[in-house]
Amino acid sequence: MVRNKVAAGEYQSESDVVRDGLHALQSGDLALEDWLKGEVVPAFDAMRADPSRALSVGQVRVALAALHQETLKPGGG
């Protein structure tokens, strides 16, 4: 894959391909960390503070099924 990218003219060298790939991985890791800190941790803390906010498995299934049906409609999703 690396050699193919260079051969196709997308990159000047194999090290450029690897460098770009590592940069993409780092960006993904940073985005994941930001999401965990900004969304998951606060949601977890809120649920721990007030467990009554939790949804049952059945409630989640109903909500997901409704969302799925919405995405199947023309222009949905």
Side-chain angles (χ1 to χ4, degrees):
M1 178 180 184
V2 172
R3 288 187 182 117
N4 290 342
K5 295 263 184 200
V6 175
E10 295 178 50
Y11 292 89
Q12 291 292 321
S13 69
E14 292 177 5
S15 64
D16 289 342
V17 178
V18 172
R19 186 179 307 110
D20 196 36
L22 290 172
H23 184 263
L25 285 172
Q26 183 180 33
S27 294
D29 286 350
L30 292 174
L32 176 61
E33 189 172 328
D34 287 346
W35 174 71
L36 287 170
K37 288 180 180 176
E39 306 230 3
V40 175
V41 170
F44 175 79
D45 290 342
M47 287 299 243
R48 190 169 38 177
D50 182 10
S52 69
R53 300 177 63 210
L55 299 175
S56 70
V57 171
Q59 289 170 312
V60 171
R61 284 187 178 149
V62 168
L64 288 174
L67 180 62
H68 179 68
Q69 288 303 313
E70 260 317 294
T71 63
L72 295 178
K73 292 179 183 176

